[in-house]
Amino acid sequence: MKLKVNGEEESVEVSTLADYLATQELVGKRIAVEHNGEIVPKSAFTTTQLRDGDVLEIVHAIGGG
Amino acid sequence: MVTELKVGSYTLKSRLLVGTGKYKDLVETGEAIAASGADVVTMAVRRTNLGQHPNEPNLLDVISPDRYILLPNTAGCHTADDAVRTCRLARELLDGHNLVKLEVISKSRTLYPDVVETLAAARTLVAEGFEVMVYTSDDPLIAIELEQIGCVAVMPLGAPIGSGLGLQNPYNIREILDQLSVPVIVDAGVGTASDATVAMELGCDGVLMNTAIAEARDPVKMAHAMRLAIDSGRLAFEAGRMPRKRYADASSPETGLIE
């Protein structure tokens, strides 16, 4: 299926958000995820099913003023 | 010796609030922030670089949420909607921490706050339970409106972001201080230690700065200078300065002189 992650189209074969994060080595990292415009709590990563055309934003903290 | 500052549900020992942008690396960031003595430290929220350097050190490893009060900002957002989304992501990123720095900045070379979008975002965020510290212009009417919306601190600029020009309109800042009961924190524009002291002597509750420290030749030393400048300015404000006089007034007694 195709996902749009941080603005880029990606073809992946995963079923849950946790699966996708594992492919990116992001499990256990300090990140936050928005799925189709809605915040996904960390506790729901394993139960969030991804579907073709879904949009993800994955963010982390960086330096800023 | 300096009185503590209450911002929303937080009590700050230091009236210096610092940013974490523009440093050479995370080591320098950590050292400068420690030298500043700040309790509140700002950070930005950005897209994770996918598939690159999975073991890259994270800002939160250096600026620990256990040691500092993190203040995620909405820098880079040009609309109320984007600012609100960024705050929601930040709250999730920091495990429910609801203190945010709202800034909606215009797409102009002045980086001036877009107060129309800022007001809209502030209303939504306050309704969603965020404690909002808001970056704004030095317009007293907008500052009053932001307080009425429920922001926990109003943060007018001293001068444009990153300009280092010092307080350009102390009369407006003074007017905002007179009109508001929530903390007023000068955010942006400070260039060197004396600029920070001027803001504090004016009665500001605190100063938030980033570039003045990060772009100093020696950021760690400048962080220390700013810490002293903020404390000095605040103590002078609390002590109350002497009145200005037009003519000299001798310091030594003018009686009992030898003849």
Side-chain angles (χ1 to χ4, degrees):
Chain A
M1 66 179 163
K2 280 202 164 55
L3 300 177
K4 193 168 193 180
V5 186
N6 288 356
E8 301 283 334
E9 293 271 356
E10 271 198 60
S11 288
V12 290
E13 292 312 317
V14 293
S15 61
T16 67
L17 176 56
D19 293 342
Y20 176 75
L21 295 176
T23 68
Q24 298 296 324
E25 300 184 58
L26 288 172
V27 176
K29 300 282 182 197
R30 293 179 195 260
I31 54 166
V33 181
E34 195 190 71
H35 175 223
N36 295 337
E38 299 289 332
I39 299 290
V40 186
K42 289 176 190 74
S43 57
F45 284 177
T46 54
T47 53
T48 301
Q49 298 291 325
L50 297 181
R51 291 182 182 80
D52 193 46
D54 279 1
V55 179
L56 296 177
E57 289 286 343
I58 305 173
V59 300
H60 68 305
I62 66 156
Chain B
M1 205 165 155
V2 172
T3 55
E4 292 178 334
L5 172 62
K6 288 200 187 315
V7 178
S9 59
Y10 296 87
T11 302
L12 317 184
K13 287 194 175 64
S14 171
R15 290 168 179 268
L16 172 57
L17 298 80
V18 294
T20 51
K22 299 180 177 174
Y23 285 98
K24 184 178 69 183
D25 53 35
L26 284 177
V27 173
E28 187 183 76
T29 309
E31 287 175 1
I33 303 311
S36 76
D39 300 305
V40 173
V41 180
T42 68
M43 48 160 264
V45 175
R46 288 291 181 276
R47 285 171 163 172
T48 301
N49 288 326
L50 297 170
Q52 294 173 26
H53 317 297
N55 294 316
E56 202 172 29
N58 188 297
L59 177 72
L60 299 182
D61 298 332
V62 178
I63 307 299
S64 165
D66 300 329
R67 178 171 171 191
Y68 297 103
I69 300 166
L70 287 175
L71 182 62
N73 69 28
T74 63
C77 294
H78 299 298
T79 66
D81 282 351
D82 283 350
V84 169
R85 279 175 71 199
T86 299
C87 289
R88 290 175 185 149
L89 281 163
R91 178 155 65 179
E92 178 57 28
L93 185 62
L94 298 173
D95 304 316
H97 171 83
N98 64 10
L99 187 71
V100 291
K101 172 181 165 181
L102 170 63
E103 52 182 313
V104 187
I105 290 168
S106 61
K107 285 183 184 172
S108 75
R109 70 175 184 173
T110 62
L111 296 181
Y112 222 65
D114 182 330
V115 294
V116 175
E117 293 295 314
T118 301
L119 288 166
R123 287 190 189 95
T124 305
L125 291 169
V126 169
E128 291 188 13
F130 285 95
E131 294 191 78
V132 180
M133 300 176 73
V134 60
Y135 174 65
T136 185
S137 65
D138 59 13
D139 180 337
L141 298 181
I142 299 295
I144 291 167
E145 181 69 21
L146 288 164
E147 179 182 49
Q148 285 172 350
I149 287 169
C151 294
V152 297
V154 173
M155 307 200 290
L157 49 74
I161 294 171
S163 69
L165 291 170
L167 245 60
Q168 292 297 294
N169 196 340
Y171 303 100
N172 272 30
I173 301 288
R174 185 66 252 172
E175 178 63 14
I176 291 171
L177 284 163
D178 285 348
Q179 296 287 333
L180 266 57
S181 46
V182 296
V184 174
I185 294 168
V186 162
D187 182 359
V190 164
T192 188
S194 54
D195 295 337
T197 305
V198 165
M200 295 308 293
E201 286 177 345
L202 200 59
C204 292
D205 295 285
V207 176
L208 198 164
M209 66 178 78
N210 189 152
T211 311
I213 298 174
E215 290 194 350
R217 192 169 61 239
D218 182 340
V220 178
K221 195 170 270 189
M222 186 57 91
H224 190 72
M226 290 299 186
R227 174 186 201 157
L228 298 174
I230 294 286
D231 280 355
S232 291
R234 180 64 193 182
L235 286 171
F237 172 74
E238 290 180 9
R241 63 155 294 144
M242 61 164 281
R244 287 184 171 84
K245 297 167 194 161
R246 289 187 62 201
Y247 302 105
D249 181 2
S251 304
S252 305
E254 291 182 272
T255 56
L257 294 163
I258 56 165
E259 285 183 23

